[in-house]
C-alpha cells in the first residue's frame, strides 16, 4: 500500500452507505454515512457516494488531492475489472458503470468496485481473521448466506463477477425452494433465517421445550433462541442446533473440497456463538473432508471485523494494485 | 512456450504411464508407455518415468540436452508448487518428492507435477475444447467424477493441492454413501458407475424395458445402455437418462455458482453422447443459474482430446512458467 496517500472505503447498502477514510498508516481516521434509496436512481446514488468520500476527507481535513482512490463494496453481481454493476435487482441496476460515474464526480480519482460480500471477505483476509493466510473464504450467516473468496490475497470474482455465490450451491437436490430459482441451496439451511424457521418449527413440535420460555411469542424467535436453550440442556433445541451445524458443515465441506483454502472465516449474527458453534463444525468438517486436517491443515475461525469488514475491504480494494 | 526446446508430458496411472515428446512447434513427435505397479515402490517408479522421458527422446532422436522439461500428471493429492505427492492412497505414497526424484534421474532437467485430472483439464484448456477461454472447469465422467479447475490459464490447486475435488461435493446431504466418507457426493450420481447402477436398478423395476434387449445380461450394462434405449423411445430408459442429466446439471450449477468459469468441459465415456447429453444439460443449467446465460455467457462443451488430454496437459505444465 502507498505510504503517502489516503484512501476511502465505502460499503453500499439498500438503505445507507457507510464510508471510512484511511490514513497512509492504514488507520480509519473518519467515518460517515449517507442514505440510499432505489428511487433516486443510479446517477444520484453515484453522486451521493462521491459526496460521502468528500465528506470523510473534510471531516479529517484531508484535501482531495491527497486521496489515492476510493473502493466500494456494493450488492449485486459486479464486474470489478470493468467497474460495472452487472445486476443489482433490488435497485433495478443493470450494467451500470458505477466506478466511472463516481470517478467523474471526484475529478478523476480512481474508483474500484466489487461485490459487498467479496469486499467483506477481503477486509477479513487483509485486516481481520484471515491476516495469516493468502487464501480464505468468508461465509456470512445472515438473512442469506453470503460468501467471498480470496485467492492469493485478491478477490476471486470469476467471469464478469459471477463467482462466489456459495449461498446458492445446492446441498439437497429437490430440497427447500430458494429465491434464486433452485431448490436445496446452502442458504436455505445455514442462514440465520433458516435457523429461525427451524427453531419455530421445533417449538410447535415440542410444546414443552425451554425455547418457549425464551421466546413466548414465536415472532420473537431469533438466531440465538435455539442456541440459548440448547446450552441450558433443552433436547429439542439441541436437535435444532445439531442439524444446523451439520448443514453448515456440509456446505463448508463442499467449498473446501472445491477450493481448499487455508481458512474458512465465519461471520454474521450466528457466528456470535463463537466456539460453541465452531468446535463441532471443525470436528464434522475434519471427519468428512476428502483430505483431512492431518494432511492439509485448515483453520475454521470467527470473523473479527463485524459490520466494518466491508469498509475495510473496500479500502484494501482501493489501496492495492 | 519456448520455441527451441522439446518437452515431455507424462500421464501416470496405476497400471501404466503414457509419455509424449513435444517439438518446439508444439507437435507430439513420439509416444510410448511403461508399466507401473504399486509393489515396485516410489524410487523405481520415478526411475522408470525418467526412463520413459529418455525413451521418447531416443525415439525421435532428440538429445536430452534439447529437453526443456518434463511434466507429469499423477493420481492423488499433489502439491505442485513443491513437486510433492501429498497422498496417493492406491500406491501408498505419502509426501513423496516425485519431481525432485525424477529430475535427479534426468541429470537435473526440471520436472513439474500436478494431479492427473488437473493435467487433463489443462490439456483441454490449452489445446482442446477450452482454447478460447482463460477460465474453464473440466469434468470427467468415468468410474468417478474427476475435475480440474483452470483459472487464468493455470491449474488452480488450492492449498497443498487439495482443490478441485468436485466429485466429492455433496449434492444430497445424507444421500448415497461415497468412498470418501461423506454421503451424497456428486460422483455418486453423475459418474458412469452411478449411471450403470441406476440403469440396472431401472431394468429390474421394468422387466419390459428395451434395455433388456440391449443388455440381456445385466452384467453387460454400461454407460451407453440407457442412452441407446432412451433414443429408441423406451420410457424407463428415458427416466434414467433424465435423472442422470438432472444430477449432472445440479453439480455443474454448484461449480458455476462458486467459480463462474467461462466454460464447463465434459469428458469421459459418458460425454460420448455429445449433444444428446449436452443440450438438456445446457437448458437445465441456464434455467437454474444464479445469473443466467443472458447476463453472463457460459459454454458447456464436450472434451476434445480424449485419453491424450493428460499428456497434453502435462506438456503444457512443463513448457509454461
Amino acid at each position: 500500500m502507498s505510504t503517502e496517500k489516503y484512501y476511502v472505503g465505502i460499503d453500499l447498502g439498500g438503505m445507507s452507505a457507510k464510508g471510512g477514510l484511511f490514513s497512509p498508516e492504514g488507520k480509519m481516521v473518519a467515518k460517515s454515512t449517507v442514505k440510499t434509496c432505489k428511487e433516486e436512481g443510479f446517477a444520484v446514488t453515484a453522486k451521493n457516494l462521491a459526496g460521502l468520500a468528500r465528506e470523510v476527507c473534510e471531516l479529517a481535513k484531508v484535501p482531495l488531492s491527497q486521496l489515492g482512490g476510493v473502493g466500494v463494496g456494493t450488492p449485486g453481481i459486479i464486474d470489478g475489472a470493468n467497474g460495472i454493476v452487472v445486476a443489482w435487482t433490488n435497485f433495478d441496476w443493470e450494467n451500470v458503470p458505477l466506478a466511472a460515474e463516481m470517478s467523474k464526480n471526484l475529478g478523476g480519482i480512481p474508483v474500484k468496485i466489487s461485490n459487498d460480500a467479496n469486499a467483506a471477505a477481503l477486509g477479513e483476509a487483509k485486516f481481520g481473521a484471515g491476516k495469516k493466510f493468502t487464501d480464505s473464504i468468508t461465509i456470512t450467516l445472515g438473512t442469506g448466506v453470503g460468501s467471498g473468496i480470496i485467492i492469493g490475497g485478491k478477490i476471486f470474482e470469476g467471469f464478469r463477477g459471477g463467482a462466489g455465490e456459495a449461498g446458492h450451491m445446492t446441498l439437497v437436490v429437490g430440497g427447500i425452494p430458494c429465491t434464486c430459482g433452485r431448490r436445496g441451496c446452502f442458504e436455505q439451511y445455514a442462514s440465520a433465517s433458516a435457523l429461525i424457521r427451524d427453531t419455530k418449527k421445533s417449538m410447535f413440535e415440542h410444546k414443552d421445550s425451554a425455547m418457549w420460555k425464551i421466546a413466548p411469542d414465536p415472532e420473537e424467535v431469533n438466531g440465538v433462541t435455539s442456541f440459548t436453550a440448547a446450552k441450558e440442556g433443552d433436547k429439542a433445541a439441541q436437535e435444532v442446533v445439531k442439524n444446523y451445524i451439520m448443514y453448515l458443515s456440509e456446505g463448508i465441506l463442499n467449498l473446501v473440497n472445491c477450493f481448499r483454502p487455508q481458512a474458512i472465516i465465519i461471520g454474521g449474527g450466528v457466528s456470535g456463538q463463537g466456539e460453541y458453534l465452531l468446535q463441532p463444525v471443525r470436528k464434522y468438517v475434519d471427519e468428512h473432508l476428502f483430505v483431512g486436517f492431518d494432511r492439509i491443515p485448515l483453520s475454521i475461525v470467527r470473523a473479527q471485523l463485524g459490520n466494518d469488514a466491508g469498509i475495510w475491504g473496500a479500502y484494501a480494494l482501493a489501496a492495492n494494485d
Side-chain angles (χ1 to χ4, degrees), chain A:
Chain A
M1 304 205 180
S2 164
T3 48
E4 291 167 352
K5 293 286 188 180
Y6 283 74
Y7 292 92
V8 169
I10 293 177
D11 188 12
L12 172 59
M15 307 281 282
S16 70
K18 293 180 294 181
L21 179 71
F22 293 82
S23 71
E25 295 76 32
K27 299 229 177 297
M28 203 195 298
V29 292
K31 202 173 166 184
S32 188
T33 61
V34 65
K35 282 191 182 172
T36 56
C37 72
K38 178 180 172 174
E39 288 68 28
E40 68 191 14
F42 152 66
V44 174
T45 304
K47 199 178 161 194
N48 290 349
L49 293 177
L52 177 60
R54 285 178 197 276
E55 189 195 340
V56 289
C57 286
E58 279 160 24
L59 283 171
K61 301 193 196 325
V62 170
L64 220 56
S65 60
Q66 264 188 272
L67 197 58
V70 176
V72 183
T74 155
I77 304 290
I78 313 302
D79 179 355
N82 296 304
I84 287 168
V85 178
V86 176
W88 178 16
T89 46
N90 285 355
F91 265 39
D92 285 340
W93 286 10
E94 194 144 345
N95 287 319
V96 161
L98 179 63
E101 185 73 13
M102 280 183 64
S103 184
K104 207 175 71 183
N105 278 292
L106 285 165
I109 287 169
V111 176
K112 290 186 191 166
I113 67 173
S114 192
N115 170 272
D116 52 357
N118 289 349
L122 184 62
E124 287 292 344
K126 292 279 185 193
F127 309 108
K131 265 188 294 193
K132 285 187 296 184
F133 311 107
T134 57
D135 295 15
S136 61
I137 298 179
T138 295
I139 299 171
T140 308
L141 310 171
T143 312
V145 172
S147 67
I149 295 155
I150 307 299
I151 298 176
K154 289 185 186 300
I155 292 170
F156 174 64
E157 275 199 340
F159 188 39
R160 299 208 72 206
E165 294 296 344
H168 300 288
M169 167 178 71
T170 279
L171 286 185
V172 184
V173 166
I176 299 171
C178 185
T179 50
C180 79
R182 293 181 82 187
R183 281 174 168 271
C185 286
F186 188 24
E187 78 170 32
Q188 291 302 322
Y189 300 87
S191 60
S193 316
L195 177 60
I196 291 166
R197 177 200 64 215
D198 290 348
T199 302
K200 287 183 187 172
K201 187 163 172 280
S202 173
M203 283 169 67
F204 283 103
E205 285 166 5
H206 303 89
K207 293 287 185 183
D208 58 341
S209 163
M211 293 187 279
W212 285 104
K213 286 179 200 147
I214 297 162
D217 176 355
E219 289 312 302
E220 292 165 17
V221 168
N222 59 31
V224 177
T225 312
S226 60
F227 277 97
T228 305
K231 288 171 193 167
E232 289 171 6
D234 184 70
K235 289 270 180 294
Q238 283 172 348
E239 198 57 39
V240 170
V241 167
K242 189 183 158 195
N243 201 46
Y244 177 80
I245 285 171
M246 186 269 286
Y247 280 111
L248 173 59
S249 303
E250 287 283 347
I252 290 172
L253 277 159
N254 277 6
L255 289 173
V256 176
N257 279 344
C258 286
F259 287 96
R260 198 73 205 202
Q262 294 154 296
I264 294 284
I265 299 166
I266 301 180
V270 186
S271 73
Q273 297 299 329
E275 286 301 306
Y276 190 83
L277 173 78
L278 296 180
Q279 221 172 298
V281 167
R282 276 187 210 111
K283 184 166 184 284
Y284 191 104
V285 171
D286 184 26
E287 282 171 6
H288 294 82
L289 257 184
F290 187 68
V291 185
F293 295 179
D294 54 333
R295 288 210 175 104
I296 307 179
L298 174 75
S299 295
I300 300 180
V301 294
R302 183 177 166 185
Q304 292 176 351
L305 302 178
N307 290 331
D308 279 349
I311 301 183
W312 280 93
Y315 155 55
L317 200 64
N320 279 282
D321 284 332

